[in-house]
Amino acid sequence: MISTAALLTLVPAVLAIPSNINKRTGPDGASVLSTIIAGTTTYYSRGCYDELKFGQHALQHEITSTLTSVSATTCVLGCQLAGYSIAGVMNGNQCFCDNAMSPDAPELDAEQCDSACSGNPLEVCGGVWHYDIYYTSPTDDIPAPAPVSQVTTGGQTWVNLGCYVDQVSCRTLPDWMFAADNMTPELCAATCKDEGYAVAGIEWGRECYCGNTIYNPTLAPLSECNQACSGDSTKACGDQDRILFYTVDGQQPSTAPNSCGGTTSSSSSSSSTSSSSSSSSSSSSSSSSSSSSSSSSSSSSSSTTTQPTTTRPTTTSSSTTKPCTTSTSTPKPTTTKPCTTSTTPKPTTTPKPTTTSTKPCTTSTRPTTTSTPPKPQPTCGRPNNHDGIHSSAPTR
């Protein structure tokens, strides 16, 4: 809370402000102040800017709750006392401060900032999700968050390798991550080092990823990694789906094409397993066909007992035998199309054997009822353990 004494020391400067009127005015006679003097510091009106989308802010530090009322004057005074060089008023009743402003916030036509301040209806306090920005220089570029070229932690120097594309569904560093509201490149590098990893990646302002292998690295312009770090808004910490990589002394890390986790060796192993499984499936299919031929010969002799269990193919989940999909009326054993070797129209046992021999070629256990169970759905690919990693972050 700004002390009354601090505000009183600035009263002479505040009283002089109304003579400094900008070229635009707001509703009901409200005016934009061209300059606001706070102590020995002059803040200059720098225009109307749009707020970022998806819950992000162009200025990171809101001090609205510390002010007794919100106006352009009180906002600038509050930011100056808190040590910030940029002040922004928005929505008529919000005040934000910072020492760097996101370059992703576009400048708007001045008329779009037309909301009177809730604390002083004669002053303009931005617009609906639009900032009126005040900065300590009338002409210099407003500072923006910048990537840090290198950081030192634990006696090691971690060097920035550049900005890369990342995706929620296929992480470039899927091994380990955490998020924090005090995120900085130093914190991310130190944490990855403590966890035993050689690569640190920082993304979306507050997320840190660690690993030893970068999967499917795709370079992006450095200007796309410009979101302010949650722990230091003058430093950049990647952006949405953009990650800044750091390694010790700038060493080039190992890379792999598999961007959805796992290592190349396990991928090839999985491939060989898949091929062996495919070959076993084909051999199973051939055995199934031989079993089918023997079944047909057995059917011609019709000397077998009621539905021997040896005629069911083992697990053949590939279900390449087409009669299974055309499940004909299973209650009637008179049909010849099911993939079982139904030999006689009516077996000598009870009309409905308890060992349900309505024979889909799957291994799923059938209930005692005669209703056909739902077909199991195939699982294509594998789930990503990091899906929804942004769930705790603001909605994108």
Side-chain angles (χ1 to χ4, degrees):
M1 182 72 67
I2 299 175
S3 65
T4 305
L7 287 174
L8 289 175
T9 60
L10 299 170
V11 167
V14 174
L15 293 177
I17 286 173
S19 61
N20 298 320
I21 303 300
N22 207 335
K23 59 180 177 292
R24 77 182 194 272
T25 59
D28 301 325
S31 301
V32 176
L33 305 178
S34 60
T35 59
I36 299 176
I37 301 172
T40 58
T41 305
T42 301
Y43 287 73
Y44 301 87
S45 174
R46 295 299 301 266
C48 179
Y49 288 81
D50 198 9
E51 174 64 298
L52 302 183
K53 304 300 187 291
F54 309 114
Q56 298 299 307
H57 296 290
L59 303 178
Q60 299 298 311
H61 307 283
E62 183 175 6
I63 65 166
T64 305
S65 61
T66 69
L67 305 179
T68 55
S69 64
V70 177
S71 67
T73 299
T74 59
C75 181
V76 168
L77 296 179
C79 291
Q80 191 272 338
L81 289 174
Y84 296 108
S85 60
I86 306 171
V89 280
M90 179 173 62
N91 291 323
N93 58 5
Q94 288 181 280
C95 175
F96 291 81
C97 313
D98 218 324
N99 288 315
M101 179 176 171
S102 172
D104 293 335
E107 187 171 6
L108 305 173
D109 292 336
E111 291 73 19
Q112 295 194 47
C113 284
D114 59 357
S115 297
C117 300
S118 61
N120 184 350
L122 296 180
E123 295 179 8
V124 171
C125 283
V128 178
W129 301 115
H130 301 152
Y131 291 99
D132 259 320
I133 295 295
Y134 291 85
Y135 179 50
T136 52
S137 170
T139 56
D140 291 346
D141 290 339
I142 298 174
V148 179
S149 60
Q150 63 183 38
V151 297
T152 301
T153 178
Q156 292 181 335
T157 300
W158 292 64
V159 178
N160 187 343
L161 298 184
C163 179
Y164 286 78
V165 175
D166 194 22
Q167 296 179 12
V168 174
S169 57
C170 291
R171 292 293 182 189
T172 53
L173 283 181
D175 298 334
W176 198 84
M177 73 84 59
F178 77 102
D181 290 332
N182 61 337
M183 184 61 67
T184 61
E186 292 85 351
L187 175 61
C188 183
T191 304
C192 291
K193 174 182 178 295
D194 292 343
E195 295 295 328
Y197 294 105
V199 185
I202 196 162
E203 179 174 349
W204 214 45
R206 61 187 303 273
E207 297 175 355
C208 175
Y209 296 83
C210 307
N212 293 316
T213 299
I214 299 177
Y215 291 95
N216 197 27
T218 303
L219 193 64
L222 192 61
S223 60
E224 294 184 6
C225 284
N226 58 16
Q227 184 170 331
C229 299
S230 59
D232 184 347
S233 56
T234 65
K235 299 175 181 178
C237 283
D239 208 327
Q240 178 179 348
D241 295 333
R242 295 295 182 270
I243 187 168
L244 286 168
F245 288 133
Y246 290 83
T247 61
V248 178
D249 297 328
Q251 297 175 359
Q252 292 299 315
S254 60
T255 60
N258 177 14
S259 61
C260 293
T263 61
T264 307
S265 59
S266 66
S267 174
S268 60
S269 163
S270 169
S271 173
S272 63
T273 304
S274 172
S275 63
S276 67
S277 130
S278 171
S279 62
S280 67
S281 173
S282 62
S283 66
S284 170
S285 173
S286 63
S287 67
S288 173
S289 62
S290 65
S291 162
S292 174
S293 62
S294 65
S295 168
S296 61
S297 64
S298 163
S299 172
S300 64
S301 62
S302 119
S303 60
T304 60
T305 59
T306 59
Q307 297 178 354
T309 56
T310 55
T311 58
R312 292 186 65 174
T314 58
T315 66
T316 59
S317 61
S318 57
S319 65
T320 55
T321 56
K322 292 188 179 174
C324 296
T325 59
T326 63
S327 59
T328 58
S329 55
T330 56
K332 298 191 179 188
T334 57
T335 58
T336 57
K337 296 259 173 122
C339 54
T340 62
T341 60
S342 58
T343 57
T344 59
K346 293 208 176 208
T348 57
T349 58
T350 56
K352 290 200 175 184
T354 55
T355 58
T356 64
S357 52
T358 56
K359 297 50 60 190
C361 292
T362 60
T363 58
S364 58
T365 347
R366 292 181 60 89
T368 56
T369 61
T370 58
S371 60
T372 305
K375 184 182 292 185
Q377 297 298 318
T379 55
C380 300
R382 56 185 172 186
N384 179 3
N385 293 332
H386 295 284
D387 280 352
I389 201 68
H390 293 298
S391 60
S392 61
T395 305
R396 293 192 176 182

